Amino acid sequence: MVSEPSVTDQRIAWLDESTRWLESNRGIDRLSPAVAAVARPFNKEPLSDVLRGKWLGHALHPLLTDIPLGCWIAALLLDFTPGNREASRQLIAAGIAAVPLTAAAGLSEWDTIERPEDRRVAAIHAIGNTLAAAAFGRSWLLRRRQHQAMGMMWGLAGGVMALITGYLGGHMSFSRQVGTGARGRPSFSPSGIRVRLIRCPPAGKTTCGLRDNR
């Protein structure tokens, strides 16, 4: 009989425990000033409005992450099919080229994160993404020098790191609600009334909902 995975509230237990450990680890707070220093230029208007997706109506960063991740995943898959070495190398290069804008969009959210638990996860997410990009950069260089096997190994290392940081990004967005919600442009309710979503303040202080913009 195959045993069922252990879960807590429908989540796999070790994932739950790992994220909770990151959220409660005060030692990570020592990394925050370094991340904040890098993020500072991207948190100033009007650049922050562009990078946070105010013009788009929702956060820009999750949309951009599909580009490097998609390129790198495709490159790793091509590594295991014959005759695609050059295509794989070009896909890795395309993913690396998308990193600066993707990272800038993510860093622009730093000043919007208020809870220390979320900042700890965000710091590890940012540092992990940097390591993933560096691993793929190393992979690209090795492949260019015809060291295909080592290039593949570095690519796999970068892929594992990207998988971990991708999970942390999803945890922040969907479990912790960091960087979520409508932005900038008004939206429409099912009744057709033009409305703007209001960000919810901390629980217990006041209410939130929809503002009628008719």
Side-chain angles (χ1 to χ4, degrees):
M1 180 181 295
V2 178
S3 60
E4 293 293 326
S6 176
V7 297
T8 58
D9 295 331
Q10 305 304 314
R11 291 180 61 187
I12 298 174
W14 66 268
L15 281 177
D16 194 27
E17 292 167 0
S18 298
T19 50
R20 290 179 186 276
W21 178 82
L22 287 177
E23 291 168 351
S24 61
N25 190 337
R26 296 178 182 271
I28 299 175
D29 293 341
R30 290 175 291 182
L31 303 174
S32 292
V35 178
V38 176
R40 189 171 298 116
F42 307 109
N43 282 269
K44 296 179 179 180
E45 296 181 353
L47 180 59
S48 62
D49 288 342
V50 175
L51 293 174
R52 290 173 186 169
K54 187 175 181 179
W55 54 276
L56 188 62
H58 59 75
L60 178 62
H61 178 66
L63 173 65
L64 293 177
T65 59
D66 289 348
I67 302 174
L69 289 177
C71 289
W72 293 339
I73 291 171
L76 295 177
L77 291 175
L78 287 179
D79 279 341
F80 295 96
T81 58
N84 288 307
R85 289 187 176 185
E86 182 60 23
S88 181
R89 188 168 67 87
Q90 290 180 2
L91 281 168
I92 289 175
I96 294 171
V99 165
L101 181 58
T102 305
L107 290 169
S108 72
E109 302 283 353
W110 182 261
D111 283 358
T112 69
I113 304 174
E114 298 177 353
R115 293 178 297 225
E117 297 85 356
D118 297 337
R119 287 209 166 195
R120 290 165 191 152
V121 178
I124 297 300
H125 175 69
I127 294 170
N129 282 333
T130 303
L131 294 175
F136 276 107
R138 179 64 174 167
S139 175
W140 182 84
L141 286 173
L142 287 167
R143 293 164 190 264
R144 187 181 183 189
R145 296 169 182 171
Q146 304 304 314
H147 301 305
Q148 184 68 16
M150 287 298 297
M152 290 175 62
M153 290 181 62
W154 276 96
L156 287 172
V160 170
M161 182 59 68
L163 180 66
I164 295 170
T165 58
Y167 167 76
L168 293 178
H171 173 74
M172 285 191 293
S173 295
F174 300 112
S175 295
R176 304 291 294 184
Q177 300 296 300
V178 173
T180 59
R183 305 179 182 199
R185 294 190 175 192
S187 57
F188 289 87
S189 69
S191 64
I193 298 175
R194 194 174 178 86
V195 299
R196 188 181 298 276
L197 297 177
I198 308 301
R199 177 177 291 184
C200 295
K205 288 189 176 181
T206 183
T207 59
C208 62
L210 302 176
R211 177 183 295 164
D212 189 344
N213 284 338
R214 287 178 296 181

